Amino acid sequence: FFAEISVLYSADVNVEAGQALNRLHYGLISLQGDDLAVSGRIYAPESETELGAVIDRLLWEAMEVKRDLS
């Protein structure tokens, strides 16, 4: 898992971005089985609900890939 947080000039926003990254990371490590390479950019979610939706979408996409490979 590799990620970069790009936030300029705001400690509060940097903390929020770090917390969002932690949620994303813990959501993705729940995936089990074969490795899956994904590359993308996630812009700052507006809310906790939106971040949850992004994580759910990534997990769903990973399940679809595994299903198609089996």
Side-chain angles (χ1 to χ4, degrees):
F1 183 78
F2 174 80
E4 175 185 343
I5 299 174
S6 297
V7 179
L8 299 175
Y9 312 117
S10 175
D12 291 337
V13 174
N14 196 15
V15 168
E16 290 173 11
Q19 291 170 342
L21 180 62
N22 285 339
R23 276 227 32 229
L24 178 62
H25 178 249
Y26 288 118
L28 294 178
I29 63 171
S30 69
L31 294 172
Q32 304 213 2
D34 298 329
D35 291 340
L36 179 62
V38 178
S39 176
R41 179 177 289 178
I42 299 174
Y43 293 96
E46 294 296 321
S47 67
E48 189 71 21
T49 302
E50 186 178 358
L51 178 61
V54 168
I55 293 168
D56 290 345
R57 177 65 189 262
L58 289 171
L59 294 174
W60 182 81
E61 292 292 343
M63 283 187 343
E64 286 293 306
V65 168
K66 287 182 180 183
R67 184 178 60 91
D68 288 347
L69 292 176
S70 59

